[in-house]
Amino acid sequence: MKILIVEDEKGLREVMTQSLEKERFIVETATDYATALQKINDYDYDCILLDIMLPGGNGLSILEELKKLRKRESVIIVSAKDSIEDKVTGLDLGADDYLAKPFHLAELHARVKSVIRRKQNDGDIKIEIGNLIVYPDNHTVFIDGNELKLNRKEFDLLYYFVANPDRLINKTTLAESVWGDNIDQADSLDFIYSQVKNLRKKMKQAEVIPEIKAVYGFGYKLITTPEA
């Protein structure tokens, strides 16, 4: 799951980043209004943690831009401005939650997981497709009641696929969603092939009913009801 932190305060931004990365989120950051605007235009995120007071603009304007772009990102306003007016305005503009500074990191984690779950999984704590059950919160996968052991990137890939079933996904989108900003430093996307190959092999050995199909020249697609 991919998070964008829009926060100009360096110390808080770094603490939030490190904490969320320990929870196995992919984290990107923006320190001002212009950078945040560019990122939401160029990339997709599962959740945006948005400060209201930003250098160069107001976080509420970011919410308006997300609405214009018809983006589906969950948004949590994280701000020291703990006024009723700000909360109401933010929620009216499409924010999913409001977290006032200062806050405990445990609460931040819980809020992030909650808004993502509500939007992506219809509020459920698991995603079930065929004989496959994925539990995003504790990063586990079960096939017919038996746990399927995956490494971190294999799980991240599988979670992205099950969150986007029967959708054709190109390599660039997949790489940006699972590897985040680090993908910009890669010479090619060939490593995606080997990662998905290993995941598909494990799924086949475990007789998983949903199947990841390679679409030549484009990317991959999770087929929820494979043909016999």
Side-chain angles (χ1 to χ4, degrees):
M1 290 174 278
K2 190 174 176 184
I3 309 294
L4 174 64
I5 299 175
V6 183
E7 171 61 60
D8 64 310
E9 187 181 333
K10 181 180 179 181
L12 178 59
R13 185 176 65 251
E14 290 179 349
V15 168
M16 291 170 67
T17 298
Q18 293 168 6
S19 177
L20 288 166
E21 285 179 342
K22 287 180 180 179
E23 293 292 307
R24 298 180 60 171
F25 289 104
I26 301 296
V27 181
E28 297 182 9
T29 61
T31 60
D32 54 48
Y33 179 84
T35 304
L37 202 59
Q38 180 180 354
K39 281 185 174 288
I40 67 167
N41 273 277
D42 293 346
Y43 305 108
D44 294 323
Y45 299 92
D46 294 290
C47 182
I48 298 173
L49 299 171
L50 180 64
D51 192 7
I52 292 179
M53 303 302 293
L54 295 169
N58 189 296
L60 295 177
S61 298
I62 298 289
L63 280 171
E64 293 177 333
E65 186 65 20
L66 285 166
K67 196 171 183 179
K68 290 178 185 176
L69 294 170
R70 297 186 177 181
K71 290 271 194 166
R72 296 183 66 253
E73 280 87 342
S74 298
V75 178
I76 301 175
I77 295 175
V78 181
S79 178
K81 292 185 67 177
D82 190 22
S83 72
I84 295 297
E85 182 180 351
D86 287 326
K87 287 183 180 181
V88 171
T89 302
L91 293 171
D92 282 346
L93 287 172
D96 298 273
D97 204 350
Y98 191 108
L99 186 60
K101 302 175 186 176
F103 52 84
H104 291 287
L105 291 173
E107 183 178 8
L108 174 67
H109 300 163
R111 297 283 189 99
V112 169
K113 291 176 182 178
S114 177
V115 296
I116 291 176
R117 187 187 304 132
R118 289 203 304 267
K119 189 156 288 188
Q120 290 193 343
N121 308 335
D122 295 325
D124 204 346
I125 62 170
K126 66 181 179 182
I127 304 175
E128 188 169 0
I129 302 176
N131 63 345
L132 169 69
I133 301 178
V134 178
Y135 293 91
D137 284 358
N138 57 16
H139 309 96
T140 54
V141 180
F142 288 86
I143 312 299
D144 293 323
N146 299 311
E147 186 172 0
L148 177 62
K149 295 292 186 180
L150 301 176
N151 64 36
R152 174 173 178 170
K153 286 306 176 188
E154 289 168 350
F155 177 87
D156 291 344
L157 283 167
L158 179 60
Y159 177 70
Y160 189 79
F161 280 120
V162 298
N164 297 276
D166 295 311
R167 172 186 164 193
L168 193 56
I169 302 168
N170 66 47
K171 288 183 179 179
T172 302
T173 299
L174 193 59
E176 289 172 351
S177 299
V178 177
W179 278 267
D181 278 340
N182 296 327
I183 198 62
D184 295 336
Q185 302 167 11
D187 295 328
S188 72
L189 298 180
D190 291 343
F191 66 93
I192 293 287
Y193 171 77
S194 61
Q195 292 279 356
V196 176
K197 181 181 178 181
N198 291 338
L199 174 59
R200 292 174 71 191
K201 181 179 179 180
K202 289 186 177 181
M203 291 174 67
K204 185 176 181 179
Q205 290 174 341
E207 299 182 348
V208 179
I209 290 177
E211 182 180 355
I212 298 173
K213 287 281 191 180
V215 181
Y216 182 76
F218 189 85
Y220 301 94
K221 184 176 183 180
L222 181 74
I223 307 296
T224 56
T225 53
E227 296 179 0

